[in-house]
Amino acid sequence: MLADKCLTHLPNPACEKHLPQRAVTIIHLAVARMAQLDEWFMREALKEAKKAEGQTSPNPAVGAVLVIDNHIVARGHHRGAGHDHAEIECLRNFSASVPARATLYITLEPCSTVGLTAPCTDAILKAGITKAVVGAVDVNPRHHGRGITRLRDAGIKVREGVLAEDCAHLNEAFNKWIVSRQPFVIAKCGMSLDGRLTRPPGESHWITGPSARHHVHQLRSRVDAILIGAETVRVDNPRLTVRGVHGARQPWRVVLTRSTNLPRRARLFSDRWAGRTLIYKGKSLASVLKDLGKRSVTSVLIEGGGEVLGQALDARLIDKVQIYLGPILTGGPLIAFPGRGAQSTGKATPLREVSYWRIGENVCITAYPKENRR
């Protein structure tokens, strides 16, 4: 009798000793296989979420899949504020009654409060879901843990934390903004191997190649705002638009200036996106970021110039760096991150989760300052 009871409660060391070793091994293999399947289906849900990456702000990107007998029978993802959430779209795409053996995989804890849409927990219960697998717990104070508790209290078997880091990483900007109301700040620049931002005068200002520049446009497509200093407007006359990325939203274009001495014919003020350009005069970078957060801007990409990048580093405002290295040496005075700098190596900003990958002839480096935990 005890052995029969243990079959439904493994893995449990107290129960294992009452079963033959072969039975224990088989059960552990089955549990491991189930965990592998959960991760595989969660990766499929993540693929769904990424379909709308950069489109959902100020909401998070979320994906869901419905699985029956180890087969995905429906998919869904959140497409933007005001649209159905991923779980709702997924369940609607399954045009039949949900059998009890079905499992719903969701990259983010379902919401349990009324917003622009009804609570997803209500829809899950109404659909008759009996098993759910959740990736990341929602850090939103309104929802944190409540959705999972609501489902469990209703008798639904919930497994949480499957690929939690991957699911949370997808919404790193949202996760910071929803808690602090401050945007997630990415410091980006293309620089030479000796840390310069431009080539010598009279030459092309491109340091990186076409593949790296296309990669930057993909990055732009995932942020809410791009921020530069006035000198970059005067010298480079940038567009700061997203090009070559299908269906991308145009981010806000933000200019920091000490004066009103800006070229009115600059592209930022005269192209079709002029209404998406904001000018902040005589404001500190910290105060500008605070105001952008109030405007529901969840992520800001700082693209230069060096003075603004240096200010961000000195003030410890950077959440992530994304640097593109071109295979050249230029010399010259325009350093990527000037500012005051660290007084000693011990006071420098250490980086974590450093990644490198090659893009054409360029190298892209991403990392996170250690004092800014995601």
Side-chain angles (χ1 to χ4, degrees):
M1 292 295 292
L2 179 59
D4 291 340
K5 182 178 179 181
C6 285
L7 285 172
T8 63
H9 288 77
L10 280 174
N12 185 329
C15 290
E16 288 180 9
K17 64 182 180 180
H18 297 284
L19 291 173
Q21 183 58 44
R22 179 177 173 81
V24 172
T25 301
I26 291 173
I27 291 172
H28 276 282
L29 288 173
V31 171
R33 174 60 175 164
M34 187 180 301
Q36 289 177 340
L37 286 172
D38 282 348
E39 289 188 1
W40 192 88
F41 289 124
M42 188 60 71
R43 287 191 181 93
E44 292 300 306
L46 275 168
K47 290 179 184 177
E48 287 297 309
K50 290 176 182 178
K51 289 180 179 178
E53 193 174 7
Q55 307 280 329
T56 63
S57 181
N59 288 355
V62 185
V65 295
L66 184 65
V67 175
I68 301 176
D69 299 331
N70 292 335
H71 293 285
I72 296 175
V73 295
R75 298 171 180 265
H77 65 275
H78 180 46
R79 299 170 186 270
H83 292 269
D84 286 338
H85 288 187
E87 307 92 313
I88 308 301
E89 181 176 281
C90 180
L91 293 170
R92 186 179 65 242
N93 289 338
F94 184 68
S95 54
S97 297
V98 178
R101 65 185 186 278
T103 302
L104 181 64
Y105 290 79
I106 322 160
T107 59
L108 185 67
E109 175 184 10
C111 67
S112 55
T113 59
V114 177
L116 294 178
T117 60
C120 292
T121 49
D122 290 358
I124 292 171
L125 295 175
K126 184 177 180 181
I129 295 293
T130 61
K131 294 187 290 293
V133 179
V134 175
V137 176
D138 195 345
V139 300
N140 186 342
R142 295 181 61 208
H143 302 153
H144 184 68
R146 291 187 175 93
I148 292 173
T149 299
R150 173 83 173 90
L151 297 181
R152 284 176 172 157
D153 287 348
I156 294 178
K157 182 180 179 182
V158 181
R159 184 186 176 202
E160 61 182 281
V162 175
L163 298 184
E165 288 190 10
D166 293 337
C167 293
H169 182 269
L170 178 65
N171 290 305
E172 59 187 3
F174 169 83
N175 289 343
K176 178 187 177 183
W177 175 80
I178 198 64
V179 173
S180 67
R181 295 296 163 172
Q182 294 275 354
F184 186 85
V185 178
I186 306 171
K188 167 263 166 186
C189 65
M191 67 183 186
S192 62
L193 288 177
D194 53 346
R196 267 59 179 181
L197 291 180
T198 58
R199 290 184 175 186
E203 295 186 11
S204 169
H205 66 280
W206 295 119
I207 288 177
T208 57
S211 297
R213 296 200 294 274
H214 177 68
H215 197 265
V216 170
H217 284 288
Q218 293 176 322
L219 175 60
R220 286 178 176 178
S221 74
R222 298 192 295 269
V223 300
D224 292 340
I226 305 168
L227 186 147
I228 60 173
E231 192 61 20
T232 301
V233 178
R234 299 184 188 104
V235 174
D236 295 339
N237 190 21
R239 285 179 279 184
L240 303 185
T241 52
V242 179
R243 303 185 291 279
V245 181
H246 178 71
R249 296 193 308 177
Q250 172 57 43
W252 288 98
R253 303 178 298 187
V254 181
V255 180
L256 272 59
T257 181
R258 295 190 183 94
S259 69
T260 55
N261 184 25
L262 292 169
R264 302 312 303 174
R265 293 186 180 181
R267 290 165 172 159
L268 296 182
F269 313 127
S270 60
D271 65 10
R272 68 190 183 103
W273 299 111
R276 298 282 291 174
T277 300
L278 300 172
I279 302 173
Y280 287 89
K281 177 187 173 184
K283 301 290 185 180
S284 69
L285 180 55
S287 66
V288 169
L289 293 173
K290 185 176 181 180
D291 184 70
L292 291 173
K294 291 178 179 178
R295 293 172 178 260
S296 295
V297 170
T298 67
S299 55
V300 173
L301 179 65
I302 300 179
E303 290 210 19
E307 183 178 349
V308 179
L309 289 168
Q311 289 176 18
L313 180 60
D314 287 341
R316 299 293 193 262
L317 297 172
I318 297 173
D319 295 295
K320 182 178 183 179
V321 294
Q322 188 145 331
I323 296 173
Y324 298 84
L325 293 177
I328 59 173
L329 301 170
T330 69
L334 197 53
I335 302 171
F337 291 84
R340 298 189 307 271
Q343 295 178 350
S344 66
T345 303
K347 294 183 179 180
T349 301
L351 301 175
R352 59 186 172 83
E353 298 180 47
V354 182
S355 299
Y356 311 82
W357 65 93
R358 184 170 177 175
I359 304 175
E361 293 186 346
N362 310 116
V363 174
C364 179
I365 304 171
T366 63
Y368 299 84
K370 281 190 176 180
E371 65 262 26
N372 295 341
R373 303 301 299 180
R374 280 187 285 141

